[in-house]
Amino acid sequence: MSEINKVLYPIQRFKVMGYLCQVEKSNYGSIAAFTGLSLPEISRTVKTLEEHGYVKVWKDRNGRYPETVVRATETGQDSMRTMLNSLRRYSEKH
């Protein structure tokens, strides 16, 4: 199981990346609705993923209101795909 990514291993990061790999971009509210994580958990998780180059984060406006927007990078998508493939191979062996 050497391909298990230590960055994606905590369930919070796995949930957020799993969601972001399915959408073009998202805001914290949508991430919370999909993952069940609190906004502070999402903020910490996104910060870690951004530090590793797995997501890109920017500020945008939704009408009059500012919002934080997040999208998975190619690096993040590739890492998630690799981890999922590794988990599939592991589950087939056991």
Side-chain angles (χ1 to χ4, degrees), residues 7 21-22 32 36 41 44 46 51 60 64 67 79 89 91:
V7 175
C21 286
Q22 297 177 56
E41 287 176 311
R44 285 189 300 273
V46 166
E51 288 169 354
D60 206 350
R64 296 183 6 208
E67 68 178 356
S79 295
R89 282 193 303 277
S91 69

Side-chain angles (χ1 to χ4, degrees), residues 7 10-11 13 25 32 46 55 67:
V7 175
I11 193 67
R13 295 182 207 154
K25 62 183 179 180
V46 166
V55 298
E67 68 178 356

Side-chain angles (χ1 to χ4, degrees), residues 74-86:
E74 278 295 316
T75 299
Q77 291 176 0
D78 290 344
S79 295
M80 188 68 174
R81 224 178 340 267
T82 299
M83 185 163 173
L84 289 172
N85 288 334
S86 181

Side-chain angles (χ1 to χ4, degrees), residues 19 26-35 37-47 50 57-59 67-70:
Y19 175 66
S26 186
N27 60 32
Y28 280 21
S30 296
I31 295 170
F34 184 84
T35 64
L37 299 173
S38 69
L39 294 180
E41 287 176 311
I42 292 167
S43 181
R44 285 189 300 273
T45 299
V46 166
K47 180 179 179 187
E50 182 179 32
V57 181
W58 68 95
K59 301 291 183 188
E67 68 178 356
T68 302
V69 180
V70 187

